[in-house]
Each structure stands twice: as structure tokens, then as C-alpha cells.
Coordinates of all heavy atoms in Angstrom, one line a residue:
K1 N 43.8 59.0 -31.4 CA 43.9 58.2 -32.7 C 42.5 58.2 -33.4 O 42.5 58.4 -34.6 CB 44.3 56.8 -32.4 CG 45.8 56.6 -32.2 CD 46.1 55.1 -32.1 CE 47.5 54.9 -31.4 NZ 47.5 53.8 -30.5
I2 N 41.5 57.9 -32.6 CA 40.1 57.9 -33.2 C 39.8 59.3 -33.8 O 39.3 59.4 -34.9 CB 39.1 57.5 -32.1 CG1 39.4 56.0 -31.7 CG2 37.7 57.6 -32.7 CD1 38.6 55.6 -30.4
A3 N 40.1 60.3 -33.0 CA 39.8 61.7 -33.5 C 40.5 62.1 -34.8 O 40.0 62.7 -35.6 CB 40.2 62.7 -32.4
E4 N 41.8 61.6 -34.9 CA 42.6 61.9 -36.1 C 41.9 61.2 -37.3 O 41.7 61.9 -38.3 CB 44.0 61.3 -35.9 CG 45.0 61.9 -36.8 CD 46.4 61.4 -36.5 OE1 46.8 61.4 -35.3 OE2 47.1 60.9 -37.5
V5 N 41.5 60.0 -37.1 CA 40.9 59.3 -38.3 C 39.5 59.9 -38.6 O 39.2 60.2 -39.8 CB 40.6 57.8 -37.9 CG1 39.7 57.1 -38.9 CG2 42.0 57.1 -37.8
D6 N 38.7 60.3 -37.6 CA 37.4 60.9 -37.8 C 37.5 62.3 -38.4 O 36.7 62.7 -39.2 CB 36.6 60.9 -36.6 CG 36.1 59.5 -36.2 OD1 35.8 58.7 -37.2 OD2 36.1 59.1 -35.0
F7 N 38.6 63.0 -38.0 CA 38.8 64.3 -38.6 C 39.0 64.2 -40.1 O 38.5 65.0 -40.9 CB 40.0 65.1 -37.9 CG 40.1 66.5 -38.3 CD1 39.3 67.5 -37.6 CD2 40.9 66.9 -39.4 CE1 39.4 68.8 -38.0 CE2 41.0 68.3 -39.8 CZ 40.2 69.2 -39.1
E8 N 39.8 63.2 -40.5 CA 40.1 63.0 -41.9 C 38.8 62.6 -42.7 O 38.6 63.0 -43.8 CB 41.1 61.9 -42.1 CG 42.5 62.2 -41.6 CD 43.1 63.4 -42.4 OE1 43.0 63.5 -43.6 OE2 43.7 64.3 -41.7
K9 N 37.9 61.9 -42.0 CA 36.6 61.5 -42.5 C 35.6 62.6 -42.5 O 34.5 62.4 -42.9 CB 36.1 60.3 -41.8 CG 36.8 59.0 -42.0 CD 35.9 57.8 -41.6 CE 36.6 57.0 -40.5 NZ 35.8 56.0 -39.8
R10 N 36.0 63.7 -41.9 CA 35.1 64.9 -41.7 C 33.9 64.6 -40.8 O 32.8 65.2 -40.9 CB 34.7 65.5 -43.0 CG 35.9 65.9 -43.9 CD 35.5 66.6 -45.2 NE 34.8 67.9 -45.0 CZ 35.4 69.0 -44.6 NH1 36.7 69.0 -44.4 NH2 34.7 70.1 -44.5
D11 N 34.1 63.6 -39.9 CA 33.1 63.3 -38.9 C 33.4 64.1 -37.6 O 33.9 63.6 -36.6 CB 33.1 61.8 -38.6 CG 31.9 61.4 -37.6 OD1 31.3 62.3 -37.1 OD2 31.7 60.2 -37.4
F12 N 33.0 65.4 -37.7 CA 33.4 66.4 -36.7 C 32.7 66.2 -35.4 O 33.2 66.4 -34.3 CB 33.3 67.8 -37.2 CG 34.0 68.1 -38.5 CD1 33.4 68.5 -39.6 CD2 35.4 67.8 -38.5 CE1 34.1 68.8 -40.8 CE2 36.1 68.0 -39.7 CZ 35.5 68.5 -40.8
R13 N 31.5 65.6 -35.4 CA 30.8 65.3 -34.2 C 31.5 64.3 -33.4 O 31.6 64.4 -32.1 CB 29.3 64.8 -34.5 CG 28.3 65.9 -34.1 CD 26.9 65.3 -34.1 NE 26.3 64.7 -35.3 CZ 26.1 65.4 -36.4 NH1 26.3 66.7 -36.5 NH2 25.6 64.8 -37.5
K14 N 32.0 63.3 -34.0 CA 32.8 62.2 -33.3 C 34.1 62.8 -32.8 O 34.5 62.4 -31.7 CB 33.0 61.1 -34.3 CG 33.7 59.9 -33.6 CD 32.8 58.6 -33.7 CE 33.5 57.4 -33.1 NZ 34.1 56.5 -34.1
V15 N 34.7 63.7 -33.5 CA 35.9 64.3 -33.0 C 35.6 65.1 -31.7 O 36.4 65.0 -30.7 CB 36.6 65.2 -34.1 CG1 37.8 65.9 -33.5 CG2 37.0 64.4 -35.3
V16 N 34.5 65.9 -31.7 CA 34.1 66.6 -30.5 C 33.9 65.7 -29.4 O 34.4 65.9 -28.2 CB 32.9 67.5 -30.8 CG1 32.4 68.1 -29.5 CG2 33.2 68.6 -31.8
F17 N 33.3 64.5 -29.6 CA 33.0 63.5 -28.6 C 34.4 63.0 -28.0 O 34.6 63.0 -26.8 CB 32.2 62.4 -29.2 CG 32.1 61.2 -28.2 CD1 31.1 61.2 -27.2 CD2 33.0 60.1 -28.3 CE1 31.0 60.1 -26.3 CE2 32.9 59.0 -27.4 CZ 31.9 59.1 -26.4
C18 N 35.3 62.7 -28.9 CA 36.6 62.2 -28.5 C 37.4 63.2 -27.7 O 38.0 62.9 -26.7 CB 37.4 61.7 -29.7 SG 36.8 60.2 -30.5
M19 N 37.3 64.4 -28.1 CA 38.1 65.5 -27.4 C 37.4 65.7 -26.0 O 38.1 66.0 -25.1 CB 38.1 66.8 -28.2 CG 39.0 66.7 -29.4 SD 40.7 66.3 -29.1 CE 40.8 64.5 -29.3
D20 N 36.1 65.7 -25.9 CA 35.5 65.8 -24.6 C 36.0 64.7 -23.7 O 36.3 64.9 -22.5 CB 33.9 65.7 -24.7 CG 33.3 67.0 -25.2 OD1 34.0 68.1 -25.0 OD2 32.2 67.0 -25.7
R21 N 36.0 63.4 -24.2 CA 36.5 62.3 -23.3 C 38.0 62.5 -23.0 O 38.4 62.3 -21.8 CB 36.4 61.0 -24.1 CG 35.0 60.6 -24.5 CD 34.0 60.3 -23.3 NE 33.4 61.4 -22.7 CZ 32.4 62.2 -23.3 NH1 32.0 62.1 -24.5 NH2 31.9 63.3 -22.6
A22 N 38.8 62.9 -23.9 CA 40.2 63.1 -23.7 C 40.5 64.3 -22.7 O 41.3 64.2 -21.8 CB 41.0 63.4 -25.0
L23 N 39.6 65.3 -22.8 CA 39.8 66.4 -21.9 C 39.4 66.1 -20.4 O 39.8 66.8 -19.5 CB 39.0 67.6 -22.4 CG 39.6 68.4 -23.5 CD1 38.6 69.3 -24.2 CD2 40.8 69.2 -23.1
E24 N 38.7 65.0 -20.2 CA 38.4 64.5 -18.8 C 39.7 64.2 -18.1 O 39.8 64.3 -16.9 CB 37.4 63.4 -18.9 CG 36.0 63.7 -19.3 CD 35.1 62.5 -19.5 OE1 35.5 61.4 -19.1 OE2 34.1 62.7 -20.1
F25 N 40.7 63.7 -18.9 CA 42.0 63.2 -18.3 C 43.0 64.3 -18.5 O 44.0 64.3 -17.8 CB 42.4 61.9 -19.0 CG 41.5 60.8 -18.8 CD1 40.7 60.4 -19.9 CD2 41.4 60.1 -17.6 CE1 39.8 59.3 -19.7 CE2 40.5 59.1 -17.4 CZ 39.7 58.7 -18.5
A26 N 42.8 65.2 -19.5 CA 43.8 66.2 -19.9 C 43.2 67.6 -19.9 O 43.1 68.2 -21.0 CB 44.4 65.8 -21.3
P27 N 42.7 68.0 -18.8 CA 41.9 69.3 -18.7 C 42.7 70.5 -19.1 O 42.1 71.6 -19.4 CB 41.5 69.4 -17.3 CG 42.5 68.6 -16.5 CD 42.9 67.5 -17.4
A28 N 44.1 70.5 -19.1 CA 44.9 71.6 -19.4 C 45.5 71.6 -20.8 O 46.4 72.3 -21.1 CB 46.0 71.8 -18.4
C29 N 45.0 70.7 -21.7 CA 45.5 70.5 -23.0 C 44.9 71.5 -24.0 O 43.8 71.3 -24.4 CB 45.3 69.0 -23.5 SG 46.0 68.8 -25.1
H30 N 45.7 72.5 -24.4 CA 45.3 73.5 -25.4 C 45.0 72.8 -26.7 O 44.0 73.2 -27.4 CB 46.3 74.6 -25.5 CG 46.5 75.4 -24.3 ND1 45.5 75.9 -23.6 CD2 47.7 75.7 -23.6 CE1 46.0 76.6 -22.5 NE2 47.3 76.4 -22.5
R31 N 45.8 71.9 -27.1 CA 45.6 71.2 -28.4 C 44.3 70.6 -28.6 O 43.6 70.7 -29.6 CB 46.8 70.2 -28.6 CG 47.0 69.6 -30.0 CD 48.3 68.9 -30.0 NE 48.6 68.1 -28.8 CZ 48.3 66.8 -28.6 NH1 47.7 66.2 -29.5 NH2 48.7 66.2 -27.5
F32 N 43.8 69.9 -27.5 CA 42.5 69.2 -27.6 C 41.4 70.2 -27.6 O 40.4 70.1 -28.3 CB 42.3 68.3 -26.4 CG 43.3 67.1 -26.3 CD1 43.4 66.3 -25.1 CD2 44.0 66.7 -27.4 CE1 44.2 65.2 -25.1 CE2 44.9 65.6 -27.3 CZ 45.0 64.9 -26.1
K33 N 41.6 71.3 -26.9 CA 40.5 72.4 -26.8 C 40.4 73.0 -28.2 O 39.3 73.3 -28.7 CB 40.8 73.4 -25.7 CG 40.7 72.8 -24.3 CD 41.1 73.8 -23.3 CE 41.0 73.2 -21.9 NZ 41.5 74.2 -20.9
I34 N 41.6 73.3 -28.8 CA 41.6 74.0 -30.1 C 40.9 73.1 -31.2 O 40.1 73.5 -32.0 CB 43.0 74.4 -30.5 CG1 43.4 75.5 -29.6 CG2 43.1 74.8 -32.0 CD1 44.9 75.9 -29.7
L35 N 41.3 71.8 -31.1 CA 40.7 70.8 -32.1 C 39.1 70.8 -31.9 O 38.4 70.8 -32.9 CB 41.3 69.4 -32.0 CG 40.8 68.4 -32.9 CD1 40.9 68.8 -34.4 CD2 41.5 67.1 -32.7
K36 N 38.7 70.7 -30.6 CA 37.3 70.7 -30.3 C 36.6 72.0 -30.9 O 35.6 71.9 -31.5 CB 37.1 70.5 -28.8 CG 35.6 70.6 -28.4 CD 35.4 70.5 -26.9 CE 34.0 70.7 -26.5 NZ 33.8 70.6 -25.1

């Protein structure tokens, strides 16, 4: 949710941060990797 909002705000650094955290729990998620 946070990444979605920050992507809209063009705060890409924060999206990368969020995707890094999400990937700790979802290491096989292609969607998160592509967004990052």
C-alpha cells in the first residue's frame, strides 16, 4: 500500500525501500522485483 501511494507521488526511493522490505517475506515475487 505504501509503495503504491509513493509511486504515485514519484517518491521512487521510498518504493525501492518498501519493495526491499516486502521481498524479505516474498523472495520469489516477480511483481515486487519488477517494481523495484
Side-chain angles (χ1 to χ4, degrees):
K1 281 184 201 145
I2 296 167
E4 197 177 313
V5 169
D6 288 323
F7 190 87
E8 292 299 315
K9 289 195 236 167
R10 303 185 63 77
D11 186 349
F12 303 123
R13 252 194 300 293
K14 186 120 177 255
V15 176
V16 170
F17 172 83
C18 288
M19 290 303 95
D20 280 338
R21 299 295 81 69
L23 283 162
E24 290 171 13
F25 301 103
C29 181
H30 297 307
R31 193 168 35 93
F32 294 167
K33 290 176 186 176
I34 290 166
L35 180 57
K36 177 182 174 179

